[in-house]
Amino acid sequence: MTTPTVEWSTVRRYEDVDYSRTDDGIAKITICRPEVHNAFRPQTLIEISEALTHAREDPSIGVIVLTGEGDKAFCSGGDQRVRGDTGYLTEPDRPDAVGRFHVTDLQVQIRRLPKPVVAMVAGYAIGAGTSCRSCAT
């Protein structure tokens, strides 16, 4: 018996995230930062949120899959390279950058979606990756 192949079409390729879909109503949001085990940074959260909103508003989408690129990590939590004294920085190279990391906003958004969100986890799920995994399953 052969496993059917799923055909994904890219809806939008962001800087940190890929948003794709199938013709039969499945949306997939993939964190594409395997070089840091798919660690979140503020930009990642903004992009995931935008893709979730798009999937929510698309009447042809019935379910959303949240996953990470590669087989080593779903998400390794917050990207420590952009962590400052006040939190995770949206613009780490600016001396006046203000820290923010709204993973709790993303968790609330996932929980309030009227469509099921399923986490497809391969490898590590650490820190914020654990909390997003738990609210998506």
Side-chain angles (χ1 to χ4, degrees):
M1 185 172 160
T2 60
T3 305
T5 303
V6 177
E7 296 292 327
W8 296 100
S9 301
T10 299
V11 175
R12 180 159 180 201
R13 177 69 177 115
Y14 296 88
E15 188 175 344
D16 291 1
V17 171
D18 182 57
Y19 173 47
S20 54
R21 61 163 295 145
T22 65
D23 288 337
D24 55 350
I26 303 170
K28 181 172 70 168
I29 300 169
T30 306
I31 305 166
C32 300
R33 303 187 74 226
E35 71 282 359
V36 290
H37 301 291
N38 298 316
F40 282 105
R41 61 184 180 153
Q43 182 66 29
T44 314
L45 298 176
I46 292 165
E47 293 174 6
I48 292 172
S49 178
E50 187 176 312
L52 286 169
T53 299
H54 188 279
R56 175 192 174 119
E57 300 303 321
D58 185 340
S60 68
I61 297 297
V63 65
I64 303 161
V65 176
L66 181 59
T67 191
E69 188 176 301
D71 60 357
K72 292 187 178 178
F74 166 71
C75 177
S76 61
D79 188 340
Q80 299 304 299
R81 298 177 308 171
V82 297
R83 184 169 176 84
D85 293 339
T86 59
Y88 293 87
L89 306 173
T90 51
E91 299 175 276
D93 297 331
R94 288 186 52 182
D96 61 341
V98 176
R100 66 190 89 231
F101 196 56
H102 304 292
V103 74
T104 52
D105 291 344
L106 185 65
Q107 293 164 354
V108 169
Q109 182 181 11
I110 290 170
R111 290 180 187 268
R112 290 186 176 167
L113 280 169
K115 300 175 183 185
V117 180
V118 178
M120 188 166 66
V121 178
Y124 299 112
I126 300 168
T130 302
S131 56
C132 280
R133 175 197 52 83
S134 66
C135 65
T137 54

